[in-house]
Amino acid sequence: MAERADEQGRGYRSECERCEILADYIIRNKCTVRRAASHFEISKSTIHKDITKKLKNVNYGKYTEVREIIDVNKAERHLRGGMATKRKYERMKMKK
């Protein structure tokens, strides 16, 4: 049961443990901060603080892996937003 609690973002023994669990999830799924926050049911700001500030001191190797993923997501976010807008207007056009 403890493993399930950890996977769902609850039952941490420490903030360090939470940082590593978040990092593992982001690395494994190559996901965004928003998706990780949704999965663990905690705020985006908590996720961001954990992986950019605390994780650096806890596990520098994981920090560098997560940082690469976060940097890619940040560089691509304007493209994702544009594609979402395009899909929205295509759906609106089809309804007419």
Side-chain angles (χ1 to χ4, degrees):
M1 189 68 166
E3 194 171 305
R4 178 177 165 89
D6 287 346
E7 180 62 27
Q8 291 302 315
R10 297 173 193 82
Y12 303 113
R13 288 186 284 269
S14 68
E15 285 186 355
C16 297
E17 182 183 15
R18 182 178 69 200
C19 291
E20 294 209 49
I21 290 169
L22 294 172
D24 288 337
Y25 180 79
I26 291 170
I27 292 166
R28 184 173 56 247
N29 296 293
K30 305 262 190 262
C31 68
T32 61
V33 170
R34 183 182 297 255
R35 184 167 149 206
S38 176
H39 177 79
F40 288 101
E41 298 176 351
I42 54 180
S43 72
K44 292 185 300 182
S45 57
T46 300
I47 299 272
H48 198 268
K49 185 175 182 178
D50 281 354
I51 61 176
T52 58
K53 305 262 192 266
K54 297 176 185 175
L55 185 62
K56 191 174 190 177
N57 298 322
V58 174
N59 188 329
Y60 193 78
K62 283 186 184 179
Y63 165 78
T64 57
E65 287 183 66
V66 170
R67 192 73 224 182
E68 286 177 20
I69 294 167
I70 298 303
D71 288 344
V72 167
N73 289 338
K74 188 174 180 181
E76 293 176 349
R77 69 182 171 188
H78 68 285
L79 299 172
R80 288 192 199 110
M83 292 303 293
T85 302
K86 182 180 177 182
R87 285 191 303 271
K88 173 185 171 183
Y89 285 104
E90 285 174 347
R91 281 193 305 269
M92 289 172 57
K93 188 177 179 179
M94 291 175 75
K95 287 182 180 181
K96 286 184 179 183

